[in-house]
Amino acid sequence: VDLLRTAFGTQNEVLLLVGSGSAGLDAAIGSLTRAAERVVVGVNGYFGRRIADIARSHGCRVDEVQAEWGSPLDPAAVEASLVGEPVAAAVVVVHVETSTGVVNPVPAIARIAEAHGAAIVVDAISSLGGMEIAMDEWGVDVCVAASQKCLGGPPGLAPVAVADRAWERIARAGARPGWYLDLGTWREFAVSGWSAHPSPVTVPTNAVRALLQGLRELADEGISQRARRFAGLGERLRDGLRSTGTAPLADEADSAPVVTAARSFPGVPSSEIVAHVERAHGIRIAGGGIGPLQDSVFRIGHMASGTSPDDIDDVVAAIGSFPRR
Ligand SMILES: Cc1ncc(COP(=O)(O)O)c(C=O)c1O
C-alpha cells in the first residue's frame, strides 16, 4: 500500500479491493453518490461510456460530456455541464482512454470540478504506474487503478485511493451500495477492523505478491524515470507507425505513452492487420475495440515494464510487412 501511495502521488488511504478495475469504479461511484444525484461523465471512448453505464446502474442522473473518439475531453465543456442545476455530485473521467490511446486533461478538469463543488473521480486503470500521477496536487477525490496494466501484476486487484474529503462526502451520501462494493467496508477492515485480516474478503495472496513485485520494480526504476522511458517508447512507436503508412489516431500532444491506437491502411479492415501481425510475427495486438472505431483502428499495448525499443521496432516491422494489394 505504501508503494501504491507513491505511485498515486498521495498521502491518502489506499484500499486494495479484490476485483478487477471495474469493481473499483463501481465502488467509487456507488459509494460517493446517491440515486437521482447528477453525475457528469466524460465520454470520449469505450471506457468513458462504461463509466456512464456504471453511474446509471446506481440510479444517478448522468450527463455525458462527449468528445470525439481520438480527441481529448474539453475542460470547458465539462465546466459548461457543471454550470446547470442541480449541482453535480461528481465528475468522473478516464485518465488514459485505452480504447483510443488519448490522455485526458485530468488536472484541469479536477480544478473545475472542485470549483463547482463536485467530487472528481479518476479512472487511472491504464495509466497508474506508466505515467506520473499527482493525486493530491491535482485535487483528485478518488483515483481507481488495476493490478494488471502498468503495475505489472496479474488481474484481480483494484487499488483505490480515497482523499479525506471524499470520505466526508461518502458519509454524507449515506446510502450504501451493497456491501462488497462499499468503500466503507474496505476501509473498516484496512484501517480499524479485525486485526488478523486487513481485507473483508479472502485475499488472492498470489495476486498480491505478484503486484508487490511489480511495484518494487517500479520503485527501483523510479516513477519519473519509468514515465520518461515509456514516453520515449510511445514516441518511437508513433514515428514507426507513420513510417509504415498507418497513422496514430491521437494528436501527438494527447497521445498516451502506454497504449497506442492507429488508423489502419486505407481500405484495409484493422482485423486483417491484427491477424497478420499475430500469424506472421507471433505478436498479439488488438482490434479497435467496441464502438465507432471497431474496423478502422488497431491498438498496441506497450505498458509492460520490460517493453524495450527492440519490441517497438519489432511490432512496427510486423505492421510494415502487411502485404498491401
Ligand atoms: C481505462 C480503463 N477503464 C476501465 C477498464 C476496465 O478494467 P477491468 O477490465 O480491470 O475491469 C479498463 C480495462 O481495460 C481500462 O483500460
Side-chain angles (χ1 to χ4, degrees):
V1 163
D2 283 341
L3 291 170
L4 282 166
R5 267 196 200 101
T6 308
F8 277 113
T10 188
Q11 307 286 325
N12 293 322
E13 236 163 69
V14 174
L15 306 170
L16 200 54
L17 270 60
V18 176
S20 79
S22 302
L25 291 169
D26 207 331
I29 295 167
S31 301
L32 267 171
T33 61
R34 260 189 306 224
E37 278 187 323
R38 194 160 81 91
V39 174
V40 172
V41 180
V43 180
N44 58 337
Y46 176 75
F47 291 104
R49 215 156 72 174
R50 152 101 43 108
I51 287 172
D53 286 343
I54 292 173
R56 274 189 285 265
S57 80
H58 288 287
C60 297
R61 192 191 120 192
V62 174
D63 284 334
E64 296 186 9
V65 175
Q66 305 268 353
E68 205 177 318
W69 290 37
S71 297
L73 296 168
D74 177 5
V78 174
E79 175 139 51
S81 175
L82 285 169
V83 165
E85 291 286 331
V87 171
V91 175
V92 193
V93 290
V94 179
H95 187 204
V96 167
E97 181 43 86
T98 320
S99 64
T100 61
V102 164
V103 183
N104 281 319
V106 167
I109 294 172
R111 278 194 297 276
I112 289 167
E114 187 176 7
H116 289 270
I120 169 88
V121 178
V122 175
D123 169 349
I125 286 172
S126 63
S127 60
L128 189 82
M131 296 174 70
E132 290 203 83
I133 291 184
M135 177 177 177
D136 293 356
E137 193 187 313
W138 295 353
V140 171
D141 289 279
V142 181
C143 195
V144 177
S147 47
Q148 78 274 16
K149 292 211 168 9
C150 306
L151 298 176
L157 297 166
V160 180
V162 189
D164 289 345
R165 63 179 179 283
W167 286 118
E168 289 160 22
R169 280 180 182 274
I170 289 168
R172 278 205 302 278
R176 301 185 65 184
W179 178 86
Y180 195 104
L181 295 182
D182 177 359
L183 289 178
T185 304
W186 294 81
R187 182 190 211 193
E188 193 184 316
F189 279 80
V191 176
S192 56
W194 183 22
S195 61
H197 205 312
S199 162
V201 302
T202 306
V203 177
T205 47
N206 45 352
V208 174
R209 282 182 173 273
L211 173 61
L212 177 59
Q213 180 60 25
L215 286 166
R216 283 184 176 143
E217 287 172 16
L218 177 60
D220 286 347
E221 182 171 0
I223 290 174
S224 303
Q225 170 55 22
R226 171 78 55 94
R228 262 197 306 278
R229 184 164 66 81
F230 275 11
L233 291 170
E235 218 176 298
R236 188 182 186 101
L237 176 59
R238 295 189 298 277
D239 285 345
L241 289 171
R242 285 185 204 99
S243 77
T244 69
T246 58
L249 181 66
D251 283 350
E252 203 50 25
D254 309 317
S255 288
V258 294
V259 58
T260 297
R263 289 188 195 283
S264 182
F265 298 110
V268 177
S270 54
S271 55
E272 289 186 19
I273 297 182
V274 173
H276 165 79
V277 166
E278 178 153 17
R279 196 174 49 241
H281 299 268
I283 300 171
R284 180 169 289 181
I285 61 174
I290 298 161
L293 304 173
Q294 174 71 28
D295 294 328
S296 56
V297 157
F298 59 88
R299 297 178 301 137
I300 300 162
H302 36 101
M303 58 184 70
S305 62
T307 308
S308 69
D310 284 348
D311 295 327
I312 299 289
D313 296 348
D314 286 349
V315 75
V316 169
I319 291 164
S321 76
F322 181 81
R324 315 266 309 271
R325 284 159 232 140

